Amino acid sequence: MEVDRPTAMQIIVAWRDNKWVVLRNAAEIGSYAYRAHAMDMARTLTAEAIELRIDCYMLVREQDGRWDEHPCPKPAREG
């Protein structure tokens, strides 16, 4: 089932197979060697959610396997 206008965006940043994987609504966006690069992508996705005027939440799976829920990171400043 597909929703024409989603009401929220789920961002997942997860440690998997020796890399950080970023997913938006369960679809993989990219994988990164460094957590900072994965968080940069999460900030980009947050900006997209803001532009679409939808809610955003983020789940992080740490290297030890623990899951934590966080507010979406603030988008990077432009300019």
Side-chain angles (χ1 to χ4, degrees):
M1 182 171 89
E2 226 175 277
V3 177
D4 288 337
R5 177 132 168 85
T7 58
M9 179 185 295
Q10 177 192 58
I11 299 171
I12 296 176
V13 176
W15 179 253
R16 186 184 333 162
D17 298 327
N18 297 319
K19 60 187 171 188
W20 290 98
V21 179
V22 178
L23 299 100
R24 175 185 53 211
N25 297 337
E28 187 172 326
I29 299 301
S31 59
Y32 307 88
Y34 299 102
R35 183 184 179 125
H37 296 158
M39 291 305 293
D40 285 344
M41 178 52 72
R43 281 190 268 293
T44 299
L45 294 175
T46 298
E48 183 181 311
I50 291 168
E51 186 176 305
L52 294 172
R53 296 182 180 189
I54 59 176
D55 293 331
C56 179
Y57 65 97
M58 184 171 78
L59 297 172
V60 177
R61 182 174 184 262
E62 300 293 346
Q63 289 175 306
D64 65 4
R66 185 183 75 241
W67 284 96
D68 290 316
E69 185 171 356
H70 297 275
C72 287
K74 291 183 179 181
R77 294 182 186 191
E78 294 198 20

